[in-house]
Amino acid sequence: MIVLDDVHKFYGSQQILRGCSATISLGEVVVVCGPSGSGKSTLIKCINGLVPFERGSITVDGVSVSSPETDLPALRARIGMVFQSFELYPHMTALQNVSLAQVHVLKRSQKEADERSVKILTRVGLGGKLGNRPAELSGGQQQRVSIARALAMNPQAMLFDEPTSALDPEMINEVLEVMQELAVEGMTMIVVTHEMGFAQRVANRVLFMDRGEIVEDTPKDQFFTAPSSERAKQFLNQVLTH
Amino acid sequence: MNYRWDWSVLIREPFADWLWSGVLLTLAISLLSWAVALTIGIVVGIARSAPSRTARLVAGIYIDVFRSVPPLVQLFLWYFVFPEMVPDSVGLWLKRDLPYPEIVTAVLAIGLFAGARVAEQVRAGIEAVGAPLLPAALATGLRPLQAFRLIALPLGLRAIVGPLTSEFLITIKLSSLSLTIGVLELTAQSRHVENYTFQGFEAFTFATIGYLVIGLCATGLMRLIDNRLGGAALRKATA
Ligand SMILES: Nc1ncnc2c1ncn2[C@@H]1O[C@H](COP(=O)(O)OP(=O)(O)OP(=O)(O)O)[C@@H](O)[C@H]1O
Ligand SMILES: [Mg+2]
């Protein structure tokens, strides 16, 4: 349902993505990993058009992300995104954070939106925190609100950019559990993460990136037991012995 | 020094009356020019952060010009020069029929100057506190204008209430400039009392305390609003 074809991205003269291609089918969970600066964040931000790219194409459900005719906001509304640093609206309560786009994008009534928000926040274990602002929540709780904000839009796919790397260790699992549930329910997911345990449990495939290239695109088991590239082997040694 | 203190001028008529009417005029000019400054500041500050290059350019020119020319010169320009530069009928109306011409001119001149400073704060608030959340807002499917109106702008405005306190205080102090075009506000009335009674120390002590109390009230009010909006936390989050 998401097809990347030979995507090139430059910042000035610096080339960030060098011909990335991959296909993510409906219901698939793909983990993206690789060293810092390899272009993982850039790649997934290209998928919902937050970052424009110069060459190649990306289609979501057959709709081109870079075509000027595409209604980009409408396309983004169908793809949920979760950021490393939560990016919640600090002046709004958890409930308001989750309801906002439902009202202004999906044109649900406030009441309808709030009902759905309560349901989803409860589902991610935050039924008791509806009226709290982000500053009154722990990192793990904030990230779960952020996931709820994306889920409230009934997305067809979810993008995660290192959703747990800003979290204290004891909060990582509560977020990973929510993500795992989503995966089990069949959500199409692209997850940038260094949580190799999560990848082993949940992923169908692993994309390994280095210096702007997708060096490896392999089924999960093969990635952990017999990675084909030297760079992936080195990387695995580093994160697994960590 | 051979000064004969006489605090009774502060309660003797007509001097007490003069001084208090000065306080009221200072308050009125301060509040009205602050309202003008906020309105202009928000509009120009938004234009300064707009995607349109023309809007940003025009707003930038406004900010640069009005912040750089001394407010006293601006006041003179509006009061003495402007009516001569517009078509005769308009100039005549300004000079003859505009009610309270000195006060209206003072309010607008001070408001336009302070508005440029407020605009710069608005732009900075949007840039530092509001704009960083735009990608997250866009990712939920909000259109760029919606994301700006619902997230970046309200956040930016909340964050600058604290920093705006000093702009408010500057606006209050600038109201004293209006004495140069004949407005009998607090400073003018204090001089007036001095000229009549030679009790300048008492009169200016009154003015000093008057400005101090007004300034402290303004500071308290802004702090109250800032606390209610959680501005300090917003500023810290991005610092
Ligand atoms: N806005 C930008 N302007 C210029 N260069 C950028 C910009 N954003 C990212 N880059 C560069 O692009 C490269 C890839 O960045 P990206 O954030 O995609 O890496 P990443 O794989 O997500 O790294 P990390 O694991 O640290 O998050 C880096 O070299 C970075 O410096
Ligand atoms: Mg990254």
Side-chain angles (χ1 to χ4, degrees):
Chain A
M1 83 162 279
I2 298 174
V3 182
L4 297 90
D5 184 21
D6 198 30
V7 176
H8 292 254
K9 165 75 196 168
F10 298 80
Y11 276 120
S13 62
Q14 200 192 354
Q15 188 163 8
I16 307 297
L17 298 178
R18 305 164 188 270
C20 295
S21 301
T23 303
I24 294 97
S25 333
L26 197 67
E28 227 179 351
V29 177
V30 174
V31 161
V32 181
C33 60
S36 179
S38 56
K40 308 179 294 292
S41 299
T42 307
L43 187 73
I44 74 163
K45 284 177 186 160
C46 285
I47 294 175
N48 65 354
L50 282 183
V51 167
F53 50 91
E54 282 74 31
R55 245 172 65 202
S57 76
I58 299 179
T59 57
V60 176
D61 233 358
V63 179
S64 159
V65 173
S66 55
S67 156
E69 280 110 70
T70 299
D71 182 358
L72 207 47
L75 183 140
R76 286 177 183 143
R78 288 184 271 123
I79 309 172
M81 180 149 196
V82 175
F83 298 81
Q84 180 172 356
S85 47
F86 326 136
E87 306 289 322
L88 293 176
Y89 314 132
H91 57 311
M92 297 184 184
T93 63
L95 185 73
Q96 290 168 330
N97 263 279
V98 179
S99 290
L100 186 83
Q102 295 181 66
V103 172
H104 292 275
V105 177
L106 302 181
K107 307 294 174 198
R108 291 182 182 148
S109 72
Q110 188 69 49
K111 184 163 165 285
E112 219 180 332
D114 285 346
E115 278 167 11
R116 173 143 179 85
S117 304
V118 171
K119 215 176 278 172
I120 295 191
L121 281 166
T122 307
R123 194 183 129 191
V124 299
L126 294 171
K129 301 285 181 188
L130 303 174
N132 291 68
R133 305 205 173 193
E136 302 158 354
L137 300 172
S138 74
Q141 291 170 334
Q142 289 186 58
Q143 195 58 298
R144 284 183 281 151
V145 174
S146 166
I147 295 174
R149 176 173 68 183
L151 289 179
M153 304 293 288
N154 308 97
Q156 297 168 348
M158 291 277 290
L159 310 173
F160 294 83
D161 188 6
E162 305 205 35
T164 58
S165 43
L167 295 176
D168 292 336
E170 71 270 18
M171 295 172 184
I172 291 178
N173 275 329
E174 64 189 55
V175 171
L176 290 181
E177 272 162 29
V178 170
M179 293 168 58
Q180 186 162 351
E181 264 176 51
L182 272 182
V184 170
E185 287 165 20
M187 178 65 78
T188 308
M189 296 169 42
I190 302 180
V191 186
V192 177
T193 184
H194 290 164
E195 290 294 329
M196 288 303 129
F198 174 82
Q200 268 168 333
R201 283 194 307 276
V202 180
N204 301 112
R205 256 158 64 213
V206 177
L207 303 188
F208 175 73
M209 288 188 72
D210 192 21
R211 286 173 225 151
E213 283 173 90
I214 298 177
V215 180
E216 203 143 338
D217 178 352
T218 42
K220 163 187 66 180
D221 294 326
Q222 191 186 332
F223 181 77
F224 286 108
T225 50
S228 52
S229 71
E230 202 50 45
R231 286 187 271 181
K233 270 180 213 159
Q234 277 173 12
F235 175 80
L236 271 176
N237 271 332
Q238 271 172 19
V239 288
L240 291 180
T241 55
H242 219 57
Chain B
M1 201 176 72
N2 219 338
Y3 188 80
R4 289 197 31 220
W5 291 90
D6 179 10
W7 291 98
S8 72
V9 296
L10 300 185
I11 49 171
R12 239 175 24 222
E13 294 306 339
F15 312 120
D17 217 32
W18 294 356
L19 291 170
W20 283 106
S21 73
V23 169
L24 288 184
L25 251 181
T26 288
L27 270 178
I29 293 175
S30 301
L31 291 178
L32 288 174
S33 40
W34 184 235
V36 172
L38 283 182
T39 312
I40 290 181
I42 291 172
V43 171
V44 176
I46 291 173
R48 190 79 182 114
S49 333
S52 150
R53 188 186 285 252
T54 324
R56 281 203 310 266
L57 187 76
V58 172
I61 291 173
Y62 175 87
I63 292 173
D64 285 341
V65 169
F66 280 79
R67 275 201 315 177
S68 315
V69 177
L72 185 59
V73 174
Q74 292 187 35
L75 183 60
F76 286 173
L77 286 174
W78 289 119
Y79 193 65
F80 298 115
V81 181
F82 183 66
E84 309 297 334
M85 286 175 37
V86 290
D88 280 351
S89 57
V90 181
L92 214 61
W93 182 83
L94 283 174
K95 281 186 269 190
R96 261 200 348 221
D97 301 331
L98 178 69
Y100 307 111
E102 303 87 6
I103 296 177
V104 172
T105 310
V107 164
L108 288 179
I110 296 168
L112 287 167
F113 169 79
R117 302 179 50 109
V118 172
E120 197 49 23
Q121 297 276 3
V122 170
R123 181 203 57 77
I126 291 172
E127 205 162 275
V129 180
L133 280 166
L134 281 176
L138 292 175
T140 64
L142 289 172
R143 294 179 185 278
L145 264 178
Q146 287 180 312
F148 183 83
R149 178 171 59 83
L150 296 168
I151 302 299
L153 179 62
L155 270 177
L157 292 182
R158 275 160 194 264
I160 61 169
V161 175
L164 276 186
T165 307
S166 52
E167 304 306 330
F168 195 6
L169 293 176
I170 288 173
T171 308
I172 293 168
K173 286 178 285 189
L174 283 177
S175 68
S176 63
L177 287 187
S178 57
L179 79 87
T180 59
I181 57 170
V183 178
L184 293 173
E185 44 64 74
L186 181 52
T187 308
Q189 293 288 19
S190 306
R191 282 213 323 194
H192 202 177
V193 171
E194 179 191 25
N195 290 341
Y196 269 76
T197 64
F198 303 105
Q199 303 300 144
F201 283 0
E202 292 84 343
F204 281 108
T205 304
F206 180 88
T208 306
I209 293 174
Y211 282 115
L212 190 66
V213 170
I214 295 174
L216 289 176
C217 288
T219 307
L221 179 73
M222 297 297 275
R223 193 166 293 157
L224 203 76
I225 300 176
D226 190 42
N227 284 343
R228 291 215 46 174
L229 295 178
L234 289 179
R235 290 189 291 277
K236 203 172 77 198
T238 56

